[in-house]
Amino acid sequence: MLEVENVSKSFKGRNVVEGMNLYLEKGESIGLLGPNGAGKSTTISIISSLIKPSSGDVKLNGSSVIKKPAAIRKVIGIVPQDIALYEELSAYENLLFFGQMYGMSKAGLAAKIQEVCRLVGLEDRQKDIVKTYSGGMKRRVNIAAALLHDPEILIMDEPTVGIDPQSRSYILEMIRNLNIERGMTVLYTSHYMEEVERLCDRVYIMDHGKVISSGTKEELKNILSAEETIYIDFDRVYPAMYDELQHHQDILRASETENGLKLIVPKGSRLLSRVFQITERHKAQVTNVNVSVPSLEDVFLHLTGRKLRD
Amino acid sequence: MKAIFFLQWKRLRRKPYLVLTFFVLTLLFVFFLGSNNQGSQGGQMEVNAYTGEGAQEAEAAGWIDRLNDSDSFHFELVDEEQARKDIMDGSRSLALEIRENDYRMLVAVEDQDHQLVDSYANQVFREEQRLQQAEEQTGTADLRERVQEEMNHPPLDLTITSVSGEESGFVYNASLQALFGMTLFFSMYTIMFSLSNVVDEKRQGTWDRMIVSPLRKWEVYAGQLAYCFVLGMLQIMMIFVFFEWVLGYDVNIPLGTTAVITACFTFAVVSVGMLLIGLVRTTQQLQAVIPIVVTSMAMLGGAFWPLEIVSNSFVLALSKGTPIYYGIQALHDASALGYGITGLGGPLSLLILFGVLCMGIGINLMERRS
């Protein structure tokens, strides 16, 4: 349905996106995962025809979006990272205006506004001024504005930044429903690994403007199939012991967490007993131990040597 | 485009304070400056004069007679105490101290009135001195009468006529100067601050939402610019109508001509605003630049004082680079000389040219930046 072919974009000689390849099938939910500054928003801007790439092409059903942007503009709904609303107007007035942008008739638009307000849970407060809304409510109107014209492809650029967990959960559930129940194709960017894990069928991991890995969640996690993660929490920091564990020959990687250490070890290496011997020698008080399967966060760490939020 | 245009009005309805402030400020400034400049609606400027160092009362009265030959000024001989009191209580901004063969000016503020009166008094005193010198050198007692007689049949007769065939020259009306100058000045503020909506929309992302919609880019621009244009036009027209029809100012321009002049001027100012938006990066920068540009253009272009009293050729050359110069010129020519649209072709076409150039460069800069 949508293909991004070897797209690059540079600003003032700096490559922001480099050799980007991506495809989107009808009804899929795709995640674009990467830290801030990875090039996700630029990629989205290029796909939505907001900016032109320095090289490469974006094709919608085989025809170039760069040459003829009108085609994609009719079928996409964009949820920008910023709250792109008129704060002095009500949600209803905002939605009325953005609906008119798509040439919707007044009668049809009024009914559609009610439908999307119901969908985002703002039926009762649609006539209130946006300025008086909480961050989560503004985010919901931001999403509603992109849904008015029933887009085939919903492109969302970090739509849950800076909101409370309850609103985030509501929004994620809503997006999942749009994808599954209405068959809406979703391209979702985030630096929150758990959101992408929850919503997306396939994931593209970006860093420094490049796609460093892609595939289904399972395919990506299989990169780390030979490893497992041990989280150990301590009552306090033990620098000497941390140093010893970080340089232990059988531990692949070790990093400090809020309450202790995160150790990546070869799967089935039965290292736990040896780790406990070390902690005992340092008279360290273990408060919690957790052995887990790899997450996309671990995959990102494995691929880049950095955390997603670094 | 229509949706964008009407949306801006809806936004204005929710936040009308800035535009209302400029509207009220225009009314206040025109009202006070117009009436403070004495002799409103084409009357003479009232000037107090008093007898100063070395001059006798009779001698001063003679000077007053000579000074009152003008249609633009009316000098009245009062005592010095009265002249100072009038300046202190604000009913006069200046007074003329008549000396034996010279004069001094007592001024509260160095404004355009001061320069006008000074220029006129200087001309009268010099002429009198020349006549006195000629009398002394020739020893002719009836020189003045003979000169006056000769002037009835002068060797050279210079008549400046306008395109419409009327006699031209510097026709100064302080009230209309204030009305035209202040109205155009404050309308520039209204238009440019309204245009800052474009920068705001770019910052908050609503502009991008419009761009990625099926709307064409020119429609997005046209909706925004049409709003600023209509807002500017309405402000100017309402002020003119208010002062002419409610306060009885003798603006003396047909409504249609006023509308055409206003439209050309507003178009030029909207374009200057677009150029500024193209040059700056943030709303804060724009808000800092607007007062500087508008005030300097108004000062150079003759909104605060008539350019006829400016003698610096560099400043006069600069004034021709401002739309307000052509706006005031067109209004002045239409009001004082009775020019119609055809007669105003010069300033109006320059305003349109100005607008087209600034708009082209401004939009180009904006598009490059985005």
Side-chain angles (χ1 to χ4, degrees), chain B residues 45-49 73-77 92 94-96 117:
Chain B
M45 185 192 292
E46 297 287 345
V47 183
N48 281 346
F73 306 95
H74 179 254
F75 289 83
E76 189 182 357
L77 197 60
R92 295 284 186 276
L94 55 87
L96 192 75
V117 174

Side-chain angles (χ1 to χ4, degrees), chain A residues 48 50-51 73-74 78 80 83-86 88-90 93 97-98 100-102 129 142 145-146, chain B residues 3-4 7-8 10-11 13-15 201 203-206 208-215 281 370:
Chain A
S48 58
L50 193 61
I51 55 173
R73 288 178 181 175
K74 283 180 194 153
I78 292 272
I83 310 278
L85 300 169
Y86 298 100
E88 65 272 34
L89 303 183
S90 68
E93 287 167 327
F97 171 69
F98 288 119
Q100 286 169 342
M101 298 286 97
Y102 288 86
I129 301 297
N142 210 29
Chain B
I4 298 171
L7 178 90
Q8 302 308 320
K10 202 178 273 181
R11 294 179 71 196
R13 224 171 51 216
R14 295 281 155 80
K15 275 182 166 177
E201 294 216 23
R203 181 184 51 79
Q204 67 198 26
T206 45
D208 285 349
R209 261 200 205 278
M210 290 187 258
I211 296 295
V212 296
S213 76
L215 276 184
R281 288 178 185 276
S370 62

Side-chain angles (χ1 to χ4, degrees), chain B residues 24 63 109 210 243 250 263 271 334:
Chain B
V24 172
W63 280 114
V109 57
M210 290 187 258
F243 274 91
D250 187 16
S271 305

